[in-house]
Amino acid sequence: MICKKRDDYLEWPEYFMAVAFLSAQRSKDPNSQVGACIVNSEKKIVGIGYNGMPNGCSDDLLPWTRTADNKLNTKYPYVCHAELNAIMNKNSADVKGCSIYVALFPCNECAKLIIQAGIQEVIFMSDKYHDTPEMIAARRLFDLAGILYRKFKPKCSKIIIDFDSINSKPSQKPL
């Protein structure tokens, strides 16, 4: 009996975007969970991150709300975005020349960090805030800095992680 390799494995882009989405599951934000995955030219992950409060700052003592009478009572002055965390959590000397896979198109603040870090390409899943000033500014900055950005087009819409699958016996299907 001949045993052939699987042909339904994850391709690299789906794998890296899935890592970004899996990282997003660590976020405690009740409204938006965003993840980022930085990859070098050798297809090695060099940083991951998700949106959350800064290290050492209790996320029980800071607000998670999107709107309030006073901006200081919203999450916006406090939360660290996934891109910032991925850059800060890098596990190599630098991220120059890398690509970043991110669930949501970066805001202008993250665009500045991406540019300053030397990241060359942004691959994003959603651009739902496309027409906001922050996203318009981000695209302007990326264009000026020569940073490529493109919408991710997945080959499949779902990836299921089944922790029980490792316990199933392998089946040898005849060809």
Side-chain angles (χ1 to χ4, degrees):
M1 182 178 354
I2 298 170
C3 185
K4 283 178 40 179
K5 70 177 183 180
R6 285 178 54 221
D7 59 6
D8 61 343
Y9 60 89
L10 282 181
E11 293 188 20
W12 287 116
E14 280 74 20
Y15 175 73
F16 297 133
M17 189 60 81
V19 168
F21 269 71
L22 186 61
S23 298
Q25 294 303 302
R26 287 278 311 139
S27 175
K28 296 177 184 175
D29 189 321
N31 296 300
S32 59
Q33 300 80 46
V34 181
C37 176
I38 303 172
V39 180
N40 70 15
S41 60
E42 298 172 337
K43 295 185 175 21
K44 290 188 170 90
I45 295 172
V46 297
I48 55 174
Y50 55 89
N51 58 313
M53 297 302 177
N55 291 336
C57 297
S58 172
D59 50 32
D60 292 323
L61 301 177
L62 291 169
W64 285 105
T65 187
R66 294 168 65 109
T67 58
D69 291 340
N70 184 337
K71 189 172 182 177
L72 291 174
N73 294 325
T74 71
K75 66 181 179 177
Y76 297 109
Y78 311 106
V79 76
C80 295
H81 287 183
E83 299 91 332
L84 172 130
N85 282 326
I87 291 167
M88 295 305 295
N89 293 337
K90 67 183 188 239
N91 60 13
S92 72
D94 64 42
V95 292
K96 276 188 177 49
C98 289
S99 298
I100 187 166
Y101 287 77
V102 64
L104 197 56
F105 189 86
C107 70
N108 62 306
E109 293 299 319
C110 289
K112 291 186 273 187
L113 290 166
I114 288 165
I115 292 164
Q116 293 300 86
I119 292 171
Q120 290 297 303
E121 182 182 31
V122 176
I123 301 103
F124 60 93
M125 188 73 210
S126 173
D127 193 13
K128 65 182 176 181
Y129 301 114
H130 181 86
D131 295 325
T132 63
E134 294 81 4
M135 303 311 153
I136 293 168
R139 286 193 304 278
R140 185 180 294 169
L141 289 167
F142 286 151
D143 289 341
L144 288 169
I147 307 296
L148 302 173
Y149 53 92
R150 61 183 164 87
K151 183 165 176 38
F152 182 68
K153 294 179 180 71
K155 293 191 174 170
C156 56
S157 63
K158 280 186 182 175
I159 295 170
I160 297 167
I161 297 174
D162 177 2
F163 287 120
D164 288 328
S165 67
I166 197 70
N167 292 318
S168 63
K169 302 259 193 263
S171 62
Q172 291 292 331
K173 296 179 211 157
L175 295 177

